[in-house]
Every structure is written in C-alpha cells, then in structure tokens.
Amino acid sequence: MPTRRSVADKLKKPLLYLFVFLFLLGGTLYYYIKGETDAPGFSDWLDDYTPDGMEVHFLDVGQGACTLLLCGESAVLVDGGEYEYGYDIVSYLKHHGVEKLDLLVATHRHSDHIGGLIVVLQKMAVDEVLLNGSSAENTDSQAEYEFSSQLLLNGATVTTAETDLQYSFDGMQISVLQGKSEKTDENETSVVLRADFENTSVLLTGDIGSVTESELIASDVLFDCDILQAAHHGSNNSNSANFIAQTTPDIAVISCGENNRYNHPGEETLDRLRQANTAVYRTDVMGTIVFSCNDNNIKIISDGKDE
C-alpha cells in the first residue's frame, strides 16, 4: 500500500509539467494578443462607426507618418512610421476589417516612413507596392534592408512610381504627382499622391521640401485640395506660402511626435497655415485622426489623447 509521501512524490512531476505548460500558454497568449489584436495608441472608438464613401485615417505613429485610405472594399496604406509601430498598424487594419491591402506606398526610404511597413509586409497580404525608385544616398540602411527583405518574401507586385500613374479603387482615384526622381536628397524624392473621391481631394506629400514644392507648382499638376498632409511633419523648410496658396487646403494634417527633437511642426509653417485660414489638425495633440468624405461633406472623428 503506497504511503502518503510516495503518492505526493508521484504527483509532483505532473503538477510541475502542468504549471510550466500553463505558464508558457499564458505567455504565448499574451504575446499574441499584444502583437496581433491589441493596438496600444489606437483606440477602438470607431466600433460603432459605419464606413461610407472615402475614409482618410492619419494614424498616430509618433514622429513618423502613416496614412490609410479606405473606399468600398479597397484599402491603400501610405507609409508606416518606425518599426515599433508595425504591430499597432496591423492591429488597426484588422480592427477595421482590412485583410488585404490593394496598394502599399513607401513614399521614401527613411525609417520613420518604412519601419512599420516591415511588419505590415510580414503580416498582411499586399497586391502591389509602390516605391519612389530613388538612387539618393540613404542613411537608414538597416531599415531599408529589412524592408526590401520582407518585400521579397511577401510576393507583392513592385512598381516604381512614375508621374501621371493613376489607380482606381471603388470610386477613389489615386494619382502620382511626383514619381521617380534623380534628386540627391531622399526627402525630396518622396512620392507625392493625390486621392480624389467625388468632389473631395486629399494631397499626401511625404517629406518633400521647398525644391519639390516649387517644381510641382511650376509643372501645373497642383490643384485645390480639401485636405493637405503637411509636408515633412510640418517642417519650416516645407509648406511654403506659395505651395499653400497653390493648393488652398481647407484642412492641414500634421503627422508628428509629441515633444519631438526636431521641433515639428515649425512655428513658421503654423503661421503660414493660419494666414491661409487653414484648419490645422495634429497627431501629436489629437492622436489618430479620421476623415469621412461623402456627398461633398467631410466629417472628422478623432480618438483624442489622454491629458
């Protein structure tokens, strides 16, 4: 007849295995939830929101840029902030029912624009990726290497942006205003896009500066827009008075990080926008910003930030 001690000894090992199994299971579930379904920094404030027309989402990715365009069943993602925001972006996409991207655009190769796209390419199906085709010297070699590696593994069609290239997605028209460029400044080679739906237009500018702004003005490709993504996170060296006067935006969105070391947005840019009577929205102040564009109306919804 076994003693109490021998019975306890026999139970120790199975209990230990069970404890280790539960511990590992808990860790795995936490990682899955944290990495795939939770989105720190992005709230679920759109749970009761019914999409209609074209939506423009300016995601809060700190000192970086990430814009999501939704129309019908189509989804276009432009840039993705630094690598650390990649899982948040994937979570945000899935939260809004996006299982596949019709088009992913990397405006240029700096890490605050392509870093998060590394994770997006790893986790999401993508039909086509649009690149700036720049030969300018780039200091973000690690981010570029990882981005290029994931791009190959993803299997998406890769296209070099060309001026006048156009796409149509469920009534949303996307036009390339600046494609491949031979400029030596990577920021100035940014792909510039215009998205139109009915009578609403959105201008996405990447990190272009005064050189490209002047070229766009001279080439006569700029028209009035309703929403302008302020160039280069609102830098004073971008968003010239002439550029703002040419595009006449009703709304300007500045994607930048709170208390960033570049002091973006610049006071001169803010003054120029105020003088043009342009309403300014900032991700560092408001968090993720979403515009719903339909029937010639623009509705803004923002998730806000904790004080």
Side-chain angles (χ1 to χ4, degrees):
M1 180 177 179
T3 64
R4 288 184 180 180
R5 185 176 184 83
S6 63
V7 171
D9 288 340
K10 289 181 179 179
L11 289 174
K12 281 182 181 179
K13 188 171 290 187
L15 287 173
L16 177 62
Y17 289 155
L18 178 61
F19 175 78
V20 171
F21 171 76
L22 291 174
F23 177 79
L24 293 174
L25 178 63
T28 301
L29 287 174
Y30 174 80
Y31 176 81
Y32 175 79
I33 293 171
K34 183 74 173 177
E36 298 292 345
T37 58
D38 191 19
F42 304 130
S43 76
D44 57 358
W45 52 270
L46 284 179
D47 275 341
D48 298 323
Y49 176 63
T50 302
D52 191 15
M54 176 177 70
E55 296 178 21
V56 190
H57 300 234
F58 294 92
L59 277 65
D60 178 15
V61 290
Q63 184 59 23
C66 180
T67 307
L68 173 66
L69 302 168
L70 299 177
C71 193
E73 298 297 319
S74 300
V76 176
L77 185 68
V78 182
D79 292 332
E82 295 281 1
Y83 179 85
E84 63 193 85
Y85 289 96
Y87 282 103
D88 294 353
I89 295 168
V90 171
S91 298
Y92 190 90
L93 293 171
K94 293 184 177 180
H95 184 77
H96 294 288
V98 178
E99 296 297 331
K100 176 182 69 69
L101 290 169
D102 296 272
L103 181 66
L104 184 152
V105 183
T107 60
H108 62 295
R109 301 172 296 164
H110 286 159
S111 63
D112 60 328
H113 289 254
I114 65 170
L117 298 183
I118 297 168
V119 181
V120 173
L121 287 169
Q122 182 183 15
K123 299 291 184 180
M124 300 287 296
V126 180
D127 282 348
E128 183 175 353
V129 175
L130 189 65
L131 305 177
N132 66 345
S134 168
S135 58
E137 183 178 351
N138 183 24
T139 57
D140 296 325
S141 55
Q142 183 61 32
E144 185 180 0
Y145 171 78
E146 293 180 12
F147 173 80
S148 298
S149 298
Q150 285 301 327
L151 184 54
L152 287 173
L153 292 171
N154 183 279
T157 299
V158 179
T159 303
T160 298
E162 297 289 348
T163 302
D164 296 331
L165 180 63
Q166 294 189 339
Y167 295 89
S168 181
F169 299 106
D170 291 324
M172 174 176 65
Q173 306 295 322
I174 294 182
S175 306
V176 176
L177 303 189
Q178 173 173 266
K180 185 177 180 179
S181 168
E182 298 302 324
K183 300 185 186 78
T184 57
D185 184 337
E186 181 69 21
N187 285 331
E188 297 282 12
T189 69
S190 296
V191 176
V192 178
L193 299 174
R194 177 187 173 97
D196 291 279
F197 178 79
E198 295 179 347
N199 291 326
T200 301
S201 62
V202 182
L203 187 60
L204 303 177
T205 56
D207 279 357
I208 64 170
S210 58
V211 171
T212 302
E213 289 180 352
S214 296
E215 289 179 356
L216 290 171
I217 293 171
S219 64
D220 245 2
V221 297
L222 293 178
F223 302 96
D224 295 348
C225 69
D226 298 289
I227 303 172
L228 167 69
Q229 178 200 44
H232 202 178
H233 317 286
S235 166
N236 285 333
N237 297 323
S238 306
N239 313 289
S240 67
N242 286 341
F243 187 73
I244 294 170
Q246 187 74 21
T247 55
T248 64
D250 296 318
I251 295 166
V253 177
I254 300 175
S255 297
C256 63
E258 195 172 4
N259 300 319
N260 65 84
R261 63 191 177 98
Y262 304 101
N263 294 318
H264 291 157
E267 281 301 322
E268 293 175 24
T269 287
L270 293 175
D271 285 342
R272 290 192 285 261
L273 290 168
R274 291 189 195 103
Q275 290 172 14
N277 295 317
T278 301
V280 176
Y281 296 86
R282 298 166 46 171
T283 59
D284 63 327
V285 175
M286 301 177 68
T288 294
I289 301 166
V290 176
F291 297 93
S292 173
C293 311
N294 196 21
D295 296 329
N296 303 324
N297 293 317
I298 299 176
K299 180 180 180 182
I300 179 172
I301 309 166
S302 176
D303 73 347
K305 278 196 171 187
D306 295 333
E307 297 294 336

